Amino acid sequence: MAADITTFAKQMVGAGVKPSLFEVNGSIGGAALENNGQAVPFLIKAASLPGTAIGTIEVPFRGRKIKLPGDRTFADWSITIINDSKFSIRNAFETWINNIQGMQSNTSLPAFAASFTPFLNPLFQDWTVNQLNRQGTPIKAYKLIGCFPVDISAIDLSYDSTDQIEEFQVTLAYSYFATDSTTIDVTDGVKLTPLT
């Protein structure tokens, strides 16, 4: 079949997916957040759909090497947050990271350290990023399991910064992600059916 613009256009089902149509939801572990976290999906300006990689094991044989699949890894995940005038989300993330390891005590908050079990402890939270279609309906979802913050970026201040609103980045480590297979139930939050 000859390639032409009409044939190409027919492949753009739903007029494509726009990177600006997304939503991020998650709880900030061990920290009080004003408005019960309602601001989180609105003030997260940028995120990403997570990636994954499989390492390679090289096995030598008589001067040659064969490659075999190794271990699967998940890179840290970053979000960019618009800073509100109450510093609500930044304060909550600072509390979360301080509960993991106190600045002065160098220990975890006692209430959390007593049952420091991954995924069952409030210090570990699940976050979800949804890709939306042009009608605002989730069409792809990723649930990041066992998140905790590893970096809260600085906020630069300057007399030269005009016509801008402060923003900052938070980097979260997580153990793995689950993604939906065919259906997403948005009536009671995003429910995922992990792929096997």
Side-chain angles (χ1 to χ4, degrees):
M1 177 183 293
D4 57 46
I5 193 67
T6 303
T7 304
F8 173 73
K10 288 179 180 178
Q11 308 310 310
M12 301 297 291
V13 179
V17 181
K18 297 177 69 175
S20 60
L21 295 176
F22 72 95
E23 182 179 68
V24 174
N25 287 289
S27 297
I28 301 177
L33 186 62
E34 294 184 28
N35 302 323
N36 298 317
Q38 293 176 8
V40 169
F42 297 102
L43 296 182
I44 295 181
K45 170 189 169 183
S48 63
L49 300 179
T52 185
I54 292 182
T56 303
I57 302 170
E58 293 186 343
V59 182
F61 176 74
R62 298 180 180 174
R64 299 290 301 274
K65 292 180 181 177
I66 61 168
K67 295 182 179 181
L68 302 174
D71 296 324
R72 193 170 184 182
T73 57
F74 301 88
D76 291 346
W77 182 67
S78 294
I79 53 178
T80 302
I81 301 166
I82 298 171
N83 198 21
D84 66 285
S85 59
K86 294 183 179 180
F87 280 69
S88 301
I89 298 177
R90 187 173 179 91
N91 288 342
F93 272 108
E94 287 176 346
T95 299
W96 187 3
I97 208 165
N98 195 57
N99 288 340
I100 294 173
Q101 185 176 43
M103 290 187 188
Q104 294 177 324
S105 66
N106 197 32
T107 60
S108 295
L109 190 69
F112 298 116
S115 60
F116 204 83
T117 305
F119 310 155
L120 302 179
N121 188 293
L123 293 183
F124 299 91
Q125 297 290 330
D126 298 341
W127 280 65
T128 304
V129 55
N130 299 321
Q131 175 69 63
L132 309 177
N133 64 14
R134 290 172 181 258
Q135 290 75 45
T137 304
I139 55 174
K140 182 69 176 174
Y142 290 86
K143 186 173 186 180
L144 286 67
I145 309 298
C147 295
F148 61 93
V150 294
D151 183 72
I152 302 172
S153 74
I155 297 177
D156 294 328
L157 306 175
S158 172
Y159 285 166
D160 296 332
S161 298
T162 58
D163 297 325
Q164 296 180 32
I165 293 185
E166 289 182 355
E167 57 187 50
F168 62 97
Q169 282 194 324
V170 173
T171 301
L172 299 163
Y174 65 100
S175 291
Y176 64 97
F177 65 75
T179 188
D180 56 295
S181 53
T182 55
T183 59
I184 300 175
D185 181 358
V186 295
T187 58
D188 186 23
V190 175
K191 296 181 180 179
L192 300 170
T193 304
L195 297 172
T196 54

